Amino acid sequence: IKRLGGRYELETVIGGGGMAVVYKALDTLLNRTVAVKMLRAQYAGDEEFVNRFRQEAQSAARLSHPNIVSLYDVGMSEGEYYIVMEYVNGPTLKDVIRERAPLPVPEALDITQQICDALAHAHDHRIIHRDVKPHNILLTQSGQVKVTDFGIARAVTGNTITLQHDTSVLGSVHYFSPEQARGGAASVKSDIYSVGVVLYEMLTKQLPFSGDSPVSVALKHLRDRFVDPRDINPDIPQSVENIILRCLVKRPEARYPDMRAVKADLQTALDNPDVPKFV
Ligand code: ATP
Ligand code: MG
Ligand code: MG
């Protein structure tokens, strides 16, 4: 059995993306199950990446919220960086969408509200997620949302070489805001756009934009109009479609001002679904 830092016994692989492999592991010191994310060795030699990783791990460590996966520890073992975090025993939102979308509207709104709570907390601490997507949203057995992959996303999106060569990282372009798709800086508004994409997908089982290549998808985010969600799923109330439309506005300035405003409208939509269309 591989033991990291004399402490964490790796058990099974539970996931893996472009930049990391995630293990279920035992923290032998505290005798509890944890998740260990090992950054792929190919990134360990990149000094800029490692600096960013360290800085962002420090940011993530400042976050403490019931809807954010807690960071417990970071370390290095045999030249490989790892982070130790809360283990979430449940599916990702990607799994849920694949198996059950379109989700019932109240369920989709509840999940989205919890995502908003998590991101509002991060934004209060000046941390932009930058990679909000169903892959990075975990669900506990009781339906509690746990957003993960904080800050690490920043390291990835800041690294153009990674973006060009790594297909699983390229996948996130479906959730990129127009400003990110253009290669510009991400902001609170970028996370809001991504939340809009996730809500769209939960309720329609489709993405607003897809295509043969990341570049074609990015261009669509910049220029194209998506199919209105109610034209795909007529069960979506107009109030909920309006929220999606206001998240997916191309100009960041015209989007919702912050996550709390999105959450407030989600609550209003739950209480009062019949409103005129947002244009
Ligand atoms: P990607 O770049 O594709 O988003 P990644 O390399 O950044 O992936 P993560 O998103 O952090 O890696 O984790 C990959 C997968 O591992 C998740 O989609 C999830 O299935 C699983 N996973 C990650 N963190 C945890 C956790 N704390 N508890 C349980 N499972 C987890
Ligand atoms: Mg991820
Ligand atoms: Mg990631």
Side-chain angles (χ1 to χ4, degrees):
I1 304 170
K2 189 163 178 174
R3 195 187 263 231
L4 297 178
R7 175 167 178 182
Y8 304 105
E9 278 180 3
L10 304 184
E11 291 173 3
T12 51
V13 174
I14 50 178
M19 55 176 292
V21 184
V22 181
Y23 298 87
K24 184 179 181 182
L26 178 68
D27 177 350
T28 56
L29 203 55
L30 291 176
N31 191 31
R32 66 175 174 182
T33 299
V34 295
V36 173
K37 182 171 181 173
M38 299 273 308
L39 296 171
R40 292 187 192 280
Q42 68 195 90
Y43 296 104
D46 183 333
E47 193 184 323
E48 187 196 336
F49 175 85
V50 169
N51 284 337
R52 279 170 180 268
F53 169 65
R54 191 174 296 126
Q55 186 201 320
E56 292 300 330
Q58 287 170 1
S59 303
R62 288 210 308 270
L63 300 179
S64 172
H65 190 276
N67 297 119
I68 296 176
V69 172
S70 300
L71 183 68
Y72 293 153
D73 194 12
V74 295
M76 196 180 190
S77 174
E78 293 167 23
E80 286 188 292
Y81 289 87
Y82 62 87
I83 64 177
V84 183
M85 60 190 148
E86 174 183 5
Y87 171 71
V88 181
N89 185 17
T92 71
L93 184 57
K94 189 182 173 63
D95 301 323
V96 172
I97 288 170
R98 193 192 306 113
E99 284 163 27
R100 298 201 282 113
L103 302 184
V105 172
E107 183 182 2
L109 298 192
D110 172 56
I111 290 170
T112 310
Q113 281 192 324
Q114 294 188 60
I115 299 170
C116 288
D117 283 339
L119 295 175
H121 175 82
H123 294 168
D124 285 348
H125 290 78
R126 299 169 174 278
I127 294 167
I128 313 298
H129 191 292
R130 294 156 197 259
D131 196 20
V132 175
K133 57 180 179 180
H135 251 100
N136 288 339
I137 296 162
L138 311 178
L139 293 160
T140 69
Q141 298 297 322
S142 60
Q144 194 183 10
V145 166
K146 297 275 184 182
V147 178
T148 187
D149 222 353
F150 261 91
I152 312 301
R154 180 188 197 133
V156 174
T157 53
N159 185 332
T160 43
I161 293 164
T162 307
L163 275 173
Q164 281 164 3
H165 294 294
D166 198 319
T167 48
S168 63
V169 173
L170 290 174
S172 14
V173 80
H174 292 112
Y175 304 89
F176 273 7
S177 60
E179 61 273 18
Q180 287 172 291
R182 197 190 288 118
S187 70
V188 161
K189 305 276 193 156
S190 319
D191 282 351
I192 290 173
Y193 185 96
S194 303
V195 167
V197 177
V198 172
L199 181 55
Y200 185 109
E201 191 181 8
M202 282 194 276
L203 291 174
T204 66
K205 203 174 185 150
Q206 293 179 29
L207 288 158
F209 302 115
S210 51
D212 307 331
S213 71
V215 171
S216 76
V217 176
L219 285 173
K220 288 179 185 178
H221 280 292
L222 284 163
R223 304 205 278 242
D224 285 11
R225 176 76 202 186
F226 50 82
V227 177
D228 281 348
R230 271 162 61 83
D231 292 345
I232 303 167
N233 176 5
D235 292 338
I236 300 170
Q238 186 61 58
S239 57
V240 174
E241 180 177 273
N242 286 354
I243 295 169
I244 297 171
L245 298 183
R246 291 182 64 186
C247 288
L248 295 183
V249 175
K250 305 231 185 264
R251 285 178 49 239
E253 314 82 65
R255 256 171 247 154
Y256 278 107
D258 54 42
M259 280 296 166
R260 288 193 173 82
V262 182
K263 187 182 173 185
D265 273 7
L266 290 164
Q267 191 56 52
T268 306
L270 274 166
D271 299 339
N272 177 26
D274 298 318
V275 298
K277 186 177 168 88
F278 169 77
V279 281

